[in-house]
Amino acid sequence: PHVTVYVGNDLSLFDAGVAENAGAISKPAGEIWASYAGTLGASYDLATLVRAAAIVEERRTGQGAQAGADTLRRDTPPVRVKILGDGPDKQKLEALAAELGAPVDFLGYQDYPSMAAWLSRSDIVVNSLVKTAAQSIVTKIGDYLASESPMINTGSSPEFRAKVASDGFGINVEAEDPTA
């Protein structure tokens, strides 16, 4: 015997978390937030996300290894990556961000209502999976969609990549490539 259980979200619970917590989150005017929520572990390619944040900052400021011909326009707003969660790779990722001078904030574990508020205040949400991740559509996708923020998807699942493209809620980029 078997049972099919569909993963879903209670939007009223998500929205209640936003209403309860959004006022406590101070976002500087003109700053772009790209946020990830979840485990800091092997299936999730957060090292690439940290490296990408460093590249964007180098191109924005015109300083560093990625500056030069790829320098962004002077009026490009600052981008900060917000990482919500905890896991076995946290210290390694914090060290990488410090080494690269990447504009990444590690916010630690957030309860569900707080996470909902952070995602809703974000300009972009990031589904950051390694190329070999077995996941197809992870449970956080519902929360990402509830935030109404566009998504950057690095997941390799053809099913989900097609959904991102056809439904127009984000873009697919190559996993493990920080310049992508």
Side-chain angles (χ1 to χ4, degrees):
H2 69 277
V3 155
T4 301
V5 178
Y6 295 96
V7 175
N9 294 74
D10 182 338
L11 288 178
S12 63
L13 187 63
F14 185 93
D15 292 342
V18 173
E20 178 185 332
N21 294 285
I25 299 171
S26 177
K27 182 177 181 203
E31 195 169 81
I32 296 174
W33 287 0
S35 296
Y36 165 87
T39 302
L40 282 58
S43 293
Y44 300 98
D45 189 21
L46 300 172
T48 296
L49 182 57
V50 169
R51 287 183 180 96
I55 290 169
V56 169
E57 183 63 7
E58 288 176 358
R59 289 179 178 173
R60 187 183 75 79
T61 62
Q63 301 173 355
Q66 294 293 323
D70 292 331
T71 300
L72 299 173
R73 291 180 17 194
R74 291 194 184 279
D75 62 348
T76 300
V79 176
R80 292 203 67 82
V81 171
K82 304 289 184 178
I83 297 181
L84 292 71
D86 206 343
D89 292 346
K90 184 177 182 185
Q91 288 182 328
K92 181 173 63 173
L93 292 165
E94 288 174 328
L96 178 63
E99 174 189 332
L100 298 175
V104 178
D105 300 316
F106 292 88
L107 304 175
Y109 172 80
Q110 304 288 313
D111 62 19
Y112 189 81
S114 178
M115 179 212 61
W118 279 102
L119 292 179
S120 73
R121 296 295 308 268
S122 298
D123 301 287
I124 302 164
V125 291
V126 184
N127 183 38
S128 190
L129 294 163
V130 296
K131 287 181 182 180
T132 59
Q135 295 90 329
S136 173
I137 301 176
V138 293
T139 56
K140 74 180 87 191
I141 296 303
D143 297 318
Y144 284 177
L145 294 174
S147 77
E148 298 183 353
S149 301
M151 180 187 306
I152 295 173
N153 173 54
T154 70
S156 299
S157 158
E159 174 189 24
F160 190 61
R161 290 179 77 82
K163 187 88 175 137
V164 170
S166 68
D167 289 4
F169 55 79
I171 61 168
N172 294 304
V173 299
E174 185 67 26
E176 300 175 28
D177 180 355
T179 59

